[in-house]
Amino acid sequence: MQRAVAPPPVYYAASAPPPPEPPVRGRLWRMLGWVSIGLSVVLVAGSLTTYGFWRRLDGQIDRENVDGKLGEHRPPKLNNSLNILMMGSDSRAGENARYGTEAGQRSDTTILLHISPGGQSAIGVSFPRDSMVQMPPCKRRNGTTVPAQFGMINAAFSNGGPACTWRTIESLTKIHIDHYVEVDFAGFKRVVDALGGVEICVPRRIDDPKAELHLRAGRQTVRGDQALGYVRTRYVLGDGSDLDRIKRQQAFMASVVKKATDKGMLTDPGRTYAFLSAATKSIKADNGLTLSVMQKLAGSLGGMSAGKVRFVTVPVQAFPQDKNRVQFAQAAAEPLFRAIREDNKLPQPEPAPVPAQNNAQPLPAAQVRLGVFNASGTGGLAQRTADQLTDRGFQVVKVGTAKKTFPHTQILYGTGAERQAERLAIAVPGRRPHPWASARPGYVYLIIGRDGPGLRTLTPTVPKMAGEIRADRDICAQA
């Protein structure tokens, strides 16, 4: 009798350490904690409202046009949340030449920052650099195309720069990304110093001559070269694995966010501007991240605090062909991606249904025969919305495209389907059902207009995950 083979285990916080690398000075930058600079720029920008300040900051950002590089079949934008892809580059160009010689550039840190509608919470999702994934074809800066390939996820950046990583993450997660921010390490020290230092916590005394790092055990604030050395060190902390580095990376970012969102800093325009000025000189972004977009984002993030920011890692499992590589654990990763895709609104109580003429209660979702249709110009939202409603118990019998344009989403119903329409109105709040003479008797129709479906969030936006780190946690609890 053949013995059953157990499925590979799912790993959330550790992976097999990669083979030792020679202690080349340039390769000690794997921690790439400076991605937190970009994160903090986004989260604290709400404290600046003066237009002149914004103009000066905007002029310091290096931008790239990604039009035509993201492919024709991108995931549709389903809601009003904001997704920013954040990458740490180890380029040695320009100011970075002093940190050693390394051909080309890589993105050893890739984080998707998801900001919920209304700016009430944010989550940073780390993608392990040694994840084996399928990458789509990408255009190089010289106009040539790199064919689709299977390999480590950080190769996408080498293949086609930020736009290629952007396209790869979209293809893997089906999450629509709005903007990207790339950070190199030349400005890392000046940004940390503009914050007045960043608090870290190490489990034991550290003496690493290669990283020029000497730290006592326990809680301490690092600045300048010591902060630089902390994010550079590779072998003296942890097991050297990529996922172990990610945990320390997230702890460092949490500390930066905590410091950057501190009330003392946010109420001091001079300190805030000095920090953002140092940071914007160190980042690169897409040309769509305009002054008006940043101002709008700032307005929505005015109430953000460290306790509303957390960090998670995409669940992975061992890659069968190479113990030093990992692959996404799809059964655990897909719920995370889906929660981000479907983050339509802030969690809210179930609204009271529109009372029927006979005062009867709405029917269960399973008894609603439903057709879901795109209005002209709304792309593929109907199928996505139909899948979500099916998962919530609705009986979707038809998905298609309406023959006319609807500026607003509508719920229409046929003869005898008033109570079914009221049940759908609970899942799609703010849409009052209307009878439709052309509808089939007993059927309900959801026509998705240009304002989107606006499905009600049933649970907190993104559920808690194993190993997540909140930015307001005690830093020593993460050491």
Side-chain angles (χ1 to χ4, degrees), residues 362-370 389-396 419-420 423-424 426-427:
L363 296 174
Q367 297 184 29
V368 179
R369 288 177 293 181
L370 176 63
L389 290 170
T390 298
D391 290 340
R392 299 183 187 194
F394 288 89
Q395 183 187 164
V396 178
R419 291 175 62 199
Q420 290 91 330
R423 180 61 185 85
L424 179 62
I426 296 175

Side-chain angles (χ1 to χ4, degrees), residues 32-40 86-88 109-111 183 253:
L32 290 176
W34 45 87
V35 170
S36 57
I37 296 169
L39 178 66
S40 299
M86 312 189 67
M87 294 164 282
T109 292
T110 303
I111 295 174
V183 187
M253 288 188 289

Side-chain angles (χ1 to χ4, degrees), residues 205-366:
R205 180 178 177 83
I206 300 299
D207 288 292
D208 184 357
K210 292 185 179 68
E212 301 176 7
L213 179 65
H214 305 280
L215 300 172
R216 56 180 172 78
R219 187 190 308 269
Q220 57 208 284
T221 297
V222 292
R223 298 175 174 84
D225 290 329
Q226 287 294 289
L228 197 57
Y230 178 76
V231 299
R232 288 175 59 195
T233 192
R234 178 173 171 81
Y235 297 112
V236 298
L237 288 171
D239 60 13
S241 70
D242 184 34
L243 294 183
D244 185 74
R245 284 193 301 271
I246 285 176
K247 299 304 291 185
R248 282 184 284 146
Q249 197 178 88
Q250 291 172 341
F252 185 86
M253 288 188 289
S255 188
V256 170
V257 171
K258 188 175 182 179
K259 185 67 174 286
T261 56
D262 177 74
K263 290 182 179 179
M265 177 173 176
L266 293 177
T267 56
D268 186 335
R271 288 180 61 195
T272 303
Y273 181 76
F275 165 68
L276 290 176
S277 180
T280 51
K281 291 175 183 176
S282 306
I283 69 174
K284 186 175 184 178
D286 63 285
N287 60 350
L289 191 60
T290 61
L291 176 62
S292 61
V293 171
M294 290 191 296
Q295 287 180 303
K296 182 178 179 180
L297 174 62
S300 68
L301 293 176
M304 184 69 72
S305 64
K308 297 178 181 179
V309 182
R310 54 194 174 118
F311 302 92
V312 302
T313 303
V314 174
V316 294
Q317 60 192 22
F319 182 61
Q321 286 75 31
D322 187 343
K323 67 178 182 179
N324 295 316
R325 302 288 179 257
V326 296
Q327 63 186 12
F328 290 179
Q330 285 299 140
E334 177 54 29
L336 170 64
F337 300 153
R338 181 177 173 183
I340 291 175
R341 288 195 300 265
E342 298 183 14
D343 186 8
N344 294 311
K345 292 187 177 182
L346 302 177
Q348 54 187 304
E350 185 169 297
V354 178
Q357 292 182 359
N358 58 7
N359 295 320
Q361 291 298 314
L363 296 174

Side-chain angles (χ1 to χ4, degrees), residues 115-167:
I115 302 173
S116 291
Q120 296 299 304
S121 63
I123 183 168
V125 181
S126 296
F127 291 80
R129 66 180 175 87
D130 55 6
S131 299
M132 302 299 291
V133 301
Q134 183 64 42
M135 290 171 277
C138 291
K139 290 184 179 180
R140 295 190 180 99
R141 288 184 173 89
N142 62 9
T144 61
T145 299
V146 178
Q149 59 186 261
F150 183 81
M152 287 175 58
I153 196 170
N154 69 337
F157 196 88
S158 301
N159 290 342
C164 189
T165 301
W166 182 333
R167 188 175 183 187

Side-chain angles (χ1 to χ4, degrees), residues 74-85:
R74 297 182 58 202
K77 187 169 178 60
L78 299 176
N79 48 53
N80 292 323
S81 61
L82 189 67
N83 298 308
I84 301 175
L85 184 63

Side-chain angles (χ1 to χ4, degrees), residues 395-467:
Q395 183 187 164
V396 178
V397 296
K398 177 69 174 178
V399 178
T401 300
K403 295 180 180 179
K404 58 178 290 188
T405 299
F406 289 80
H408 302 292
T409 296
Q410 297 189 32
I411 298 175
L412 307 175
Y413 62 91
T415 304
E418 183 178 7
R419 291 175 62 199
Q420 290 91 330
E422 292 163 5
R423 180 61 185 85
L424 179 62
I426 296 175
V428 188
R431 316 291 181 179
R432 188 178 184 89
H434 296 283
W436 185 30
S438 300
R440 291 181 61 183
Y443 282 75
V444 179
Y445 300 85
L446 176 63
I447 313 297
I448 301 175
R450 291 176 179 172
D451 53 355
L455 295 184
R456 182 176 61 85
T457 303
L458 299 180
T459 58
T461 51
V462 181
K464 288 186 177 181
M465 294 187 62

